[in-house]
Amino acid sequence: MGKALAGTDFNELIKPASASGRARVESLTKNRKKILFVTSELADLIKAGGLGDVSAALPRALGRFHSVRILIPGYPQVTGSDHPIEVICDLDGYAGLPACQIGRMQLSDGLTVYVVLCPELYDREGTPYGDTHGRDWPDNHIRFARFGLAAAALASGEVCADWQPDLVHAHDWPAGLAPAYMAWQGQQTPSIFTIHNLAYQGLCDLESIPELGLPEDAASAEGMEFYGKLSFLKAGINYADHITTVSQTYAREITTADFGCGMDGLLDLKARRGQLSGIANGIDECWHPESDNRLIQGFTQHEWDGKRANMRYVEETFGLEPSGGPLFVIISRLVYQKGLDLIPQIAEHIVAAGGRLAILGQGEEQIEEMIAELASRYSGRIGFHRGFNETDARRMFAGSDFLLMPSRYEPCGLSQSYAQCFGSLPIARRTGGLADTIEDGVTGFLFEDGTAASFSAAIERALHVYRHPDLLDAMRCRAMVAPRYWRHAAKPYDKLYRNLINQSLAAPVAAARGPEHGWQA
Ligand code: ADP
């Protein structure tokens, strides 16, 4: 992580000697706002996908401009980490939500993390959302309502009087109730809700309203009612002051019926009112082929030995023949979204061209079984590891020639950027953030539709490049400088935060949606 960019102690860390340097820091730090990130994943402690990466990297990049702190549920991976947690506040139960405590921890680089301590809800083995078999917890609505209500308490200043946020930035459905509880309580603090994936909507029964302590409003179409259910995602969309999503293309796509998951009408309205914007994800500075100490050996654009060393590691680890042919990899959650049902149809193409394929992932049982079967059919040419392994993932990005991402949709996608960083060319469907981050034929290969024929044609183009080392080298070098690091990519958030904070000071809106709407403090 970008250590020098830590959110809380920027002034201590950067003491420029020159007058111009001092002026620059002064102008950067002037008007530093307090921003609370509400997120269910944080890569330092627990990560299920790209949300964990963004929640770790973006606050640090924003630390140049603002004081950013994070709120996360107290999963065992959080409470059992090496960082001591100081309990700073007790929060009462509310309706069917149990009482909890708020703890505060500091990560090694100074980033402050608030933790919702409620062992009966969070102290469970598994992912942030389900058990070790990937089954969602049946009480996720309670778990994440408690989380959202704790965020509203922090926003109100009740938890920590000397650090009351100027803005709350909530991420994906698990944090969707944070802006909603804030609105129902009549809080003035502005909020942003970022959609990392519209397909995960956080649904529960309408009958949960009393249990979650929601006002009548919640059950309406203007609230969080969604086809006879309650949707946490819709709560975030409807009650936050501004919605962002993680690439420009996805921001357009989600206003259409094909990608809108039933929310396209609502999102189109927000887009037309200027309340929806696409801000492309960046990547953390730690993704660097020269300095990543988890690689077998680092490398640069001028010296590929290290790339070959990582390739040998992948070959050995995945039981692949060292054939000298191209190495393809997949590092992914194994879910419908990722379009991996196309893999059996293109496997023969890869193998016939002398290629090998290493797959790392976990997810839906059916997809895991399909891939395991493929690996046994093409033993020595296709290898599969079920699981989540950050170190192997990095070595696979570094050691491979090509990354396959045939996603049906991809809000932003980070894997393609990590692959590019490490000189592995993504072969991906032209959708969402993949369309925005891959330049076809320059920094990777894009295909248009979700057919095996279209995918195969892109693989054939990649194989053509592979057979021409000069072309391959040129594309790799272009790819390695393509990804945008967060130090640049975070700037639109800074602008948006300032606009919303200024607007809310000029024209407080929240009073219109407070206690008279049924909220009982
Ligand atoms: P999503 O958020 O939809 O899962 P992204 O491409 O945005 O997809 O982010 C996925 C992140 O999770 C990347 O950092 C990727 O390398 C990582 N990842 C996914 N599956 C695994 C795995 N099995 N082991 C290690 N890292 C993984």
Side-chain angles (χ1 to χ4, degrees):
M1 307 298 160
K3 287 203 166 69
L5 303 181
T8 47
D9 47 1
F10 177 85
N11 294 316
E12 284 307 305
L13 285 169
I14 301 180
K15 288 180 177 155
S18 73
S20 69
R22 274 197 302 275
R24 193 172 129 63
V25 167
E26 227 174 82
S27 91
L28 273 175
T29 53
K30 198 164 70 176
N31 284 327
R32 279 166 72 75
K33 302 297 181 191
K34 300 188 199 77
I35 311 294
L36 178 68
F37 257 57
V38 186
T39 178
S40 53
E41 297 179 32
L42 176 63
D44 304 67
L45 304 167
I46 181 160
K47 159 176 161 181
L51 173 61
D53 285 349
V54 174
S55 303
L58 178 55
R60 286 164 162 122
L62 285 167
R64 287 161 68 202
F65 312 110
H66 302 290
S67 161
V68 186
R69 298 187 179 181
I70 293 174
L71 178 72
I72 191 168
Y75 317 112
Q77 295 87 342
V78 176
T79 52
S81 79
D82 292 341
H83 311 285
I85 298 179
E86 175 202 357
V87 174
I88 57 166
C89 180
D90 289 296
L91 293 177
D92 291 338
Y94 181 77
L97 308 180
C100 68
Q101 293 180 312
I102 303 294
R104 184 169 52 197
M105 64 157 68
Q106 214 151 41
L107 302 186
S108 339
D109 62 354
L111 189 67
T112 298
V113 179
Y114 294 107
V115 183
V116 186
L117 298 166
C118 189
E120 67 181 278
L121 297 184
Y122 307 124
D123 190 12
R124 304 174 187 178
E125 243 183 80
T127 73
Y129 319 108
D131 64 18
T132 45
H133 300 286
R135 283 178 300 237
D136 284 351
W137 298 115
D139 60 347
N140 268 347
H141 58 304
I142 302 282
R143 298 174 76 230
F144 291 106
R146 179 64 273 183
F147 180 52
L149 190 58
L154 255 157
S156 74
E158 176 189 348
V159 171
C160 192
D162 62 349
W163 195 91
Q164 181 178 3
D166 300 304
L167 181 140
V168 170
H169 189 166
H171 296 264
D172 261 352
W173 76 263
L177 278 192
Y181 282 122
M182 286 167 63
W184 289 321
Q185 292 172 0
Q187 291 194 33
Q188 305 286 323
T189 309
S191 58
I192 296 179
F193 182 64
T194 294
I195 301 168
H196 295 260
N197 194 331
L198 189 68
Y200 297 87
Q201 305 194 326
L203 298 176
C204 68
D205 293 334
L206 273 176
E207 291 71 50
S208 306
I209 284 186
E211 210 180 357
L212 304 183
L214 307 180
E216 300 279 290
D217 263 15
S220 70
E222 291 70 40
M224 54 186 286
E225 188 273 336
F226 187 64
Y227 293 100
K229 298 264 185 188
L230 292 175
S231 161
F232 280 37
L233 186 92
K234 189 170 176 185
I237 294 173
N238 260 339
Y239 291 100
D241 297 289
H242 193 91
I243 320 301
T244 69
T245 186
V246 288
S247 70
Q248 285 89 354
T249 297
Y250 193 61
R252 284 192 300 276
E253 286 174 344
I254 57 177
T255 63
T256 67
D258 282 351
F259 291 90
C261 302
M263 304 236 181
D264 36 293
L266 173 61
L267 289 164
D268 189 41
L269 187 72
K270 298 269 169 191
R272 282 186 278 116
R273 287 185 186 154
Q275 292 171 316
L276 168 68
S277 42
I279 301 179
N281 279 340
I283 65 170
D284 193 89
E285 316 283 331
C286 70
W287 293 90
H288 203 287
E290 218 178 332
S291 55
D292 189 336
N293 58 17
R294 279 183 275 190
L295 298 187
I296 295 290
Q297 190 182 323
F299 59 95
T300 69
Q301 294 171 29
H302 311 291
E303 212 283 296
W304 299 111
D305 277 2
K307 191 162 181 67
R308 283 187 283 274
N310 287 288
M311 182 178 286
R312 281 193 295 278
Y313 172 85
V314 177
E315 287 169 349
E316 281 161 24
T317 309
F318 285 80
L320 301 175
E321 294 163 8
S323 70
L327 178 62
F328 295 78
V329 294
I330 294 172
I331 299 141
S332 179
R333 290 184 297 118
L334 303 181
V335 295
Y336 176 80
Q337 170 199 345
K338 302 295 179 180
L340 299 172
D341 40 310
L342 289 181
I343 299 301
Q345 299 174 64
I346 53 89
E348 186 60 41
H349 186 173
I350 287 179
V351 170
R356 289 82 41 78
L357 172 61
I359 304 171
L360 170 65
Q362 61 186 16
E364 291 165 16
E365 219 169 288
Q366 212 183 336
I367 303 178
E368 289 180 357
E369 279 168 14
M370 172 199 74
I371 289 176
E373 195 277 319
L374 207 60
S376 80
R377 187 164 5 130
Y378 292 103
S379 164
R381 309 306 293 273
I382 297 183
F384 171 44
H385 279 190
R386 182 193 177 275
F388 194 97
N389 186 325
E390 177 86 23
T391 301
D392 277 359
R394 285 170 184 264
R395 293 173 181 177
M396 291 169 79
F397 288 127
S400 56
D401 298 299
F402 303 107
L403 170 85
L404 300 180
M405 276 185 93
S407 307
R408 288 189 161 80
Y409 66 92
E410 196 61 70
C412 181
L414 290 170
S415 295
Q416 79 280 11
S417 297
Y418 298 154
Q420 286 173 329
C421 243
F422 287 145
S424 173
L425 301 173
I427 304 174
R429 179 122 175 237
R430 190 192 293 277
T431 183
L434 297 172
D436 295 356
T437 53
I438 300 170
E439 204 179 333
D440 189 30
V442 180
T443 61
F445 303 90
L446 291 171
F447 60 98
E448 298 297 329
D449 57 60
T451 62
S454 184
F455 192 12
S456 249
I459 291 173
E460 193 48 45
R461 288 197 291 133
L463 288 169
H464 173 79
V465 167
Y466 183 81
R467 291 183 203 111
H468 295 82
D470 287 355
L471 269 182
L472 183 64
D473 260 19
M475 277 190 76
R476 274 184 183 161
C477 291
R478 286 294 293 275
M480 286 170 85
V481 293
R484 272 175 20 120
Y485 286 102
W486 270 118
R487 65 174 174 269
H488 304 296
K491 284 180 187 157
Y493 282 109
D494 167 48
K495 199 168 162 207
L496 181 61
Y497 291 168
R498 291 188 192 283
N499 283 346
L500 285 172
I501 292 167
N502 290 340
Q503 271 170 30
S504 80
L505 293 174
V509 289
R513 53 190 191 187
E516 74 275 22
H517 286 242
W519 178 261
Q520 287 144 27

